[in-house]
Amino acid sequence: MTGQLELIATAPMGLEAIVARELKDLGYEDLKVENGRVTFKGDLIDICRCNLWLRTTDRILVKMGEFPARTFDELFEGTKALPWADWIPIHGEFPVEGRSHKSQLSSVPASQGIVKKAVVEKLKETYRTDWFAENGPRYVIEVNLLNDIALITLDTTGPGLHKRGYRRLITEAPLKETLAAALILLSRWNVNRPFYDPCCGSGTLPIEAAMIGWNIAPGLRRSFNAENWPIIPEKLWEEAREEAFDAMDDSVPLEITGSDIDEKAIEVALAAAKGAGLAKEIKFKTLPAARIEPQGEYGCLITNPPYGERLGDEKEARKLISQLGRVAASLPTWSFFAITPTKQFESDFHRTADKRRKLFNGRIECQYLQFLGPLPPRRP
């Protein structure tokens, strides 16, 4: 492999700008932001660093090539021209996944088959064999057809980056870790402010806040497909993990609390916090929203409240929002943030949001409503 790689951080709809901001904060420049992805330049070490550090992206892909593909012949020849043997060893496993949108090649299974055949033909030329055992490291190839352009990528991540490795159990309707991190990064919370989630469920928001507060790389507790690739020396992964451990700062006291009316949810949250190594740092309480009493000044309450469509009882969901509104009225220095598909949230909350942002919780279109309190006074 020669020269810099083109890498792609895939982004859930609506979070592309947050992923781009994360990449800039990590020192990457010359970013190309498109629907569902941010493309940037990097080396092999950057595959390791980005998988370890990015909080809001789904996965890190290597861009193998992009070319017009209106026919199966064009798709075959374009794919075969790419340097597959630079990446995939003779025993590598290389399944092909695909998607197609507004393209003449609309059959995804057929397109996957053509790409697989082209990669096999190219590897045959290098390895001088007619058969591949595919019992080695995993290289997931993706063909993405959009407007008759084929984008061919290799997935370095494996299971999506929302799978941090700290969660064994989940509650009903959990929030993805990547979305939880995005909600926190979109708020004005920092480690010097109190944090409260009154509908914490399995604890995702408090745990992600603690990881951000202590600068814990979210991928430290898991493995990635590319860790088994011969092209990436083991020492690069070791170097990236060492950097991540050195960057942690657990000297700052955390004021992070999660509560929920469901005792079983709190048990799940405690287990997850323990899995993340944060059980002693986050307070969890079994408590209805009407009885919460967040402590401190200039805090941030960030939550994913239950709603009728999700948990089946609209009357109770609206009552909860009203209770949260009363809590907000009693905390004049706090800021409040809620992700919700509920159209009447602001009227039930008895306050108009200062900012709104369209986001998707899974496939459900939501608004991220932001009710902003004053910023903390600057420290001398």
Side-chain angles (χ1 to χ4, degrees):
M1 189 204 75
T2 57
Q4 276 204 310
L5 304 169
E6 268 198 272
L7 301 175
I8 297 171
T10 65
M13 204 182 309
L15 296 185
E16 295 88 350
I18 309 302
V19 172
R21 191 170 87 192
E22 278 201 89
L23 284 163
K24 281 180 183 170
D25 289 346
L26 288 172
Y28 298 98
E29 297 172 355
D30 193 23
L31 309 177
K32 185 180 178 186
V33 182
E34 300 171 275
N35 281 341
R37 62 179 181 253
V38 182
T39 305
F40 61 105
K41 297 279 201 305
D43 297 314
L44 291 172
I45 184 86
D46 298 300
I47 291 175
C48 312
R49 286 183 180 134
C50 290
N51 272 302
L52 286 170
W53 274 108
L54 289 175
R55 298 180 192 280
T56 60
T57 194
D58 284 330
R59 53 191 70 240
I60 304 299
L61 311 176
V62 177
K63 182 177 175 180
M64 295 296 292
E66 193 170 24
F67 49 85
R70 294 177 188 83
T71 66
F72 287 131
D73 279 348
E74 287 180 333
L75 181 60
F76 180 89
E77 295 301 334
T79 303
K80 192 182 174 200
L82 301 174
W84 294 108
D86 289 356
W87 292 88
I88 303 175
I90 190 168
H91 62 304
E93 179 192 4
F94 50 102
V96 179
E97 296 179 356
R99 63 186 70 179
S100 178
H101 185 63
K102 294 182 180 176
S103 289
Q104 292 181 55
L105 298 181
S106 58
S107 169
V108 172
S111 299
Q112 288 171 249
I114 292 293
V115 167
K116 180 78 174 186
K117 185 179 177 185
V119 176
V120 167
E121 291 304 313
K122 182 63 175 238
L123 293 178
K124 276 183 181 179
E125 292 175 3
T126 303
Y127 296 123
R128 307 291 179 190
T129 180
D130 288 329
W131 185 77
F132 294 94
E134 294 199 47
N135 57 3
R138 186 171 171 84
Y139 298 77
V140 178
I141 300 167
E142 185 172 287
V143 50
N144 194 334
L145 294 155
L146 176 64
N147 296 323
D148 295 325
I149 301 292
L151 171 66
I152 311 289
T153 57
L154 269 181
D155 174 16
T156 73
T157 301
L161 287 173
H162 70 282
K163 296 192 175 177
R164 313 287 206 219
Y166 60 71
R167 188 178 310 292
R168 296 289 176 267
L169 305 164
I170 57 170
T171 54
E172 192 174 0
L175 193 66
K176 261 192 178 181
E177 291 82 343
T178 40
L179 179 57
L183 300 183
I184 297 161
L185 294 176
L186 282 166
S187 78
R188 299 187 293 183
W189 181 79
N190 65 53
V191 72
N192 299 309
R193 303 177 71 176
F195 178 102
Y196 201 109
D197 178 5
C199 310
C200 72
S202 52
T204 309
L205 277 161
I207 293 167
E208 291 296 318
M211 291 174 74
I212 290 168
W214 276 3
N215 202 34
I216 299 170
L220 266 179
R221 291 176 176 270
R222 57 161 288 171
S223 58
F224 309 94
N225 276 1
E227 281 187 78
N228 300 310
W229 295 2
I231 193 172
I232 305 178
E234 196 177 321
K235 66 180 182 183
L236 293 186
W237 286 101
E238 289 170 3
E239 183 184 331
R241 287 183 187 277
E242 223 168 277
E243 287 173 358
F245 277 113
D246 290 345
M248 280 172 55
D249 181 7
D250 60 4
S251 65
V252 189
L254 298 174
E255 293 180 74
I256 295 174
T257 308
S259 62
D260 200 285
I261 197 168
D262 183 351
E263 193 174 342
K264 287 184 179 175
I266 294 298
E267 287 174 12
V268 172
L270 283 164
K274 187 177 180 182
L278 293 161
K280 293 178 182 175
E281 315 306 329
I282 304 170
K283 299 183 191 78
F284 285 109
K285 303 174 181 179
T286 306
L287 207 61
R291 287 180 46 213
I292 68 167
E293 294 180 350
Q295 301 298 304
E297 299 288 318
Y298 304 102
C300 289
L301 187 152
I302 307 177
T303 195
N304 172 35
Y307 42 88
E309 183 182 345
R310 196 179 93 202
L311 294 179
D313 191 336
E314 188 176 343
K315 188 179 174 184
E316 280 300 307
R318 294 190 68 175
K319 182 180 169 186
L320 171 64
I321 294 165
S322 181
Q323 290 167 346
L324 291 176
R326 285 196 288 276
V327 171
S330 71
L331 295 166
T333 67
W334 278 59
S335 296
F336 293 78
F337 304 84
I339 182 168
T340 179
T342 307
K343 301 286 187 246
Q344 70 276 8
F345 187 100
E346 288 163 281
S347 64
D348 291 340
F349 194 74
H350 309 300
R351 188 167 157 187
T352 303
D354 298 292
K355 288 185 178 179
R356 298 174 191 80
R357 188 184 185 114
K358 184 165 84 171
L359 294 175
F360 284 82
N361 186 1
R363 296 192 175 187
I364 301 171
E365 184 178 321
C366 296
Q367 290 289 326
Y368 188 39
L369 301 174
Q370 304 173 47
F371 306 88
L372 305 177
L375 286 171
R378 285 175 180 256
R379 295 184 176 188

